[in-house]
Amino acid sequence: MTVGTHLQEFHGLPVFDFPGLDARVELPATDSVAWRISAPTYSDPGDELWGPQFERFLKTVDTGRVRALVVGGWDEAYENSSADIVTALIGANNRLTALEAVFLGDMTSEDCEISWIIQSDVTPLLAAYPALREFGVRGGSELAFPSIRHTGLETLVVETGGLRAEVVRGIVGSDLPALENLELWLGTDEYGGDSTPEDLAPLLAGTAFPALRRLGLCDSVIQDAVAAAVAGAPVVARLERLDLSMGVLTDAGAAALLDGQPLTHLAHLDLSHHYLSEAMCERVRAALVPYGVTVDLSDAQVGEDDGDGDVWRYVAVAE
C-alpha cells in the first residue's frame, strides 16, 4: 500500500467513492465494489460530515450486500479521533451482515499527515464483526489494540509513522488463528514508534498466528535490528513472503539476514527503500534469485551528510 494516493482496490474489489449530496452518479452493484465514505478533513460550513454521510449511505445501498468499506477522511481527523466512526460502524453491524473488510483512515498527506491522524481503540470494531476477514488502519496517534480473539481475520495491516510498543504487544499477543497476512509499519521514535524486536517475540517465535504466511515489518528506523531478529526467528520457516521494506536497512542488517536461517523457500523478499551498497545488493541476489526467490531491491537510498561526518537516513513514511 502507499500513502501517496487513495486506495484504488481493497479486498480484491475496486474502490468506489460514495457520492456527495449533489452528485448525480449511477451506483454500481452493491457487492461489486469496496465503498469509500469520506468527509473533508478540513471541513467548511455546509460540508456533509462523515456521520451524516454514513447514515445516508445506509439508507441508499442494499446494506446486506456490502462486502467492503473504506473509511476515508473525517471531519478534523487531526483533532477528532476515529472513536465516533468506530461507534457508528459497530451500530450498523446488524445491517452490514455481509461485511468482510474494513480500512480505517484512507487519507493521503494532502488530507492529513499520517502522524496527525488520531485513531482510537479499534478492537471493539473487530469484535462487532466476527466474520471480518480483512482489517486495515492508518495512523498511530492514540491507536489502541489490546489483545483480542478473532477467529475470522485473515489480513491485518497497521500503517503508522510510529507504532507504540504497547500496540505492537497487543497485536502479537492476540489470538488470531486464521491470520495469514500481517503488516506492521513500525515507524520512528519521533512519532511514537518505541517498539523493539523484543516486543515482537511471540510473533517471531512462531507461537502466535499458526496460519501466518506473509509477514511485513516495515518502515522502521531500527530495520537492521529487526532484520537481525528475523534472521533467527522460527516463524520465517513457514513464510511465503517477507517484507522488510521502507525502513533504514543497511549492509549490516542485510548481512545479518543472509547469515541467519535459509531464506531460499520464500517466494518473495521485499527490501525496497533501502540503504544497501551495490555489493550487498548483488550478494542478496546471488543468495536468493537462483532459488526462485523474487527479490525487490528497488528505491535505493543514499542518506544525507549533515556536514559533521554523520549520515542521516530516513524511513519512507513518517509524517
Side-chain angles (χ1 to χ4, degrees):
M1 293 187 179
T2 175
V3 297
T5 58
H6 294 129
L7 291 174
Q8 301 299 307
E9 181 179 296
F10 179 58
H11 198 56
L13 300 168
V15 175
F16 180 84
D17 283 290
F18 183 65
L21 283 167
D22 299 328
R24 303 288 194 273
V25 178
E26 183 177 351
L27 299 181
T30 303
D31 57 0
S32 68
V33 299
W35 294 88
R36 184 174 186 268
I37 303 172
S38 183
T41 305
Y42 299 90
S43 55
D44 295 320
D47 284 337
E48 186 179 28
L49 302 183
W50 195 93
Q53 187 174 171
F54 182 58
E55 287 300 318
R56 185 165 56 84
F57 169 78
L58 294 176
K59 295 175 182 177
T60 303
V61 305
D62 183 353
T63 55
R65 296 175 60 195
V66 175
R67 296 172 55 197
L69 279 179
V70 175
V71 176
W74 58 85
D75 18 300
E76 281 75 52
Y78 51 90
E79 290 183 350
N80 300 320
S81 81
S82 62
D84 287 346
I85 312 290
V86 170
T87 298
L89 292 172
I90 291 171
N93 68 341
N94 61 336
R95 301 173 67 181
L96 297 170
T97 53
L99 191 63
E100 297 176 340
V102 174
F103 189 92
L104 182 59
D106 179 30
M107 289 175 255
T108 67
S109 58
E110 291 186 359
D111 300 318
C112 187
E113 295 284 359
I114 190 171
S115 64
W116 299 359
I117 300 171
I118 302 179
Q119 288 289 352
S120 59
D121 185 351
V122 296
T123 53
L125 176 57
L126 295 175
Y129 290 91
L132 207 67
R133 294 171 52 199
E134 181 170 359
F135 180 69
V137 58
R138 179 175 298 162
S141 180
E142 298 187 23
L143 177 66
F145 201 109
S147 295
I148 62 163
R149 173 173 170 78
H150 192 290
T151 60
L153 196 66
E154 298 171 358
T155 295
L156 175 61
V157 177
V158 182
E159 303 176 352
T160 76
L163 191 57
R164 291 183 296 113
E166 179 182 5
V167 179
V168 172
R169 291 193 294 268
I171 292 171
V172 304
S174 292
D175 185 3
L176 306 173
L179 193 70
E180 299 177 358
N181 180 30
L182 175 65
E183 183 176 321
L184 304 178
W185 294 15
L186 302 173
T188 80
D189 51 359
E190 292 179 326
Y191 296 103
D194 59 352
S195 67
T196 68
E198 287 73 25
D199 297 309
L200 298 164
L203 167 65
L204 298 179
T207 56
F209 317 141
L212 194 69
R213 296 297 178 267
R214 297 178 295 280
L215 174 62
L217 299 172
C218 309
D219 199 49
S220 177
V221 71
I222 58 166
Q223 202 74 52
D224 281 351
V226 172
V230 166
V235 70
V236 173
R238 53 185 167 85
L239 297 180
E240 299 169 357
R241 298 174 65 92
L242 176 61
D243 185 350
L244 300 177
S245 66
M246 301 171 60
V248 182
L249 183 69
T250 71
D251 282 8
L257 192 63
L258 292 179
D259 292 341
Q261 64 191 299
L263 301 174
T264 52
H265 65 287
L266 293 173
H268 186 84
L269 174 65
D270 191 345
L271 302 179
S272 59
H273 183 94
H274 60 83
Y275 292 84
L276 306 184
S277 65
E278 185 55 39
M280 181 55 72
C281 288
E282 286 303 315
R283 182 182 166 191
V284 172
R285 293 188 188 100
L288 298 176
V289 172
Y291 293 90
V293 183
T294 301
V295 181
D296 188 346
L297 287 163
S298 62
D299 196 18
Q301 304 291 311
V302 177
E304 298 179 9
D305 191 329
D306 68 353
D308 294 323
D310 293 324
V311 177
W312 291 94
R313 299 182 177 93
Y314 304 94
V315 298
V317 178
E319 188 176 61

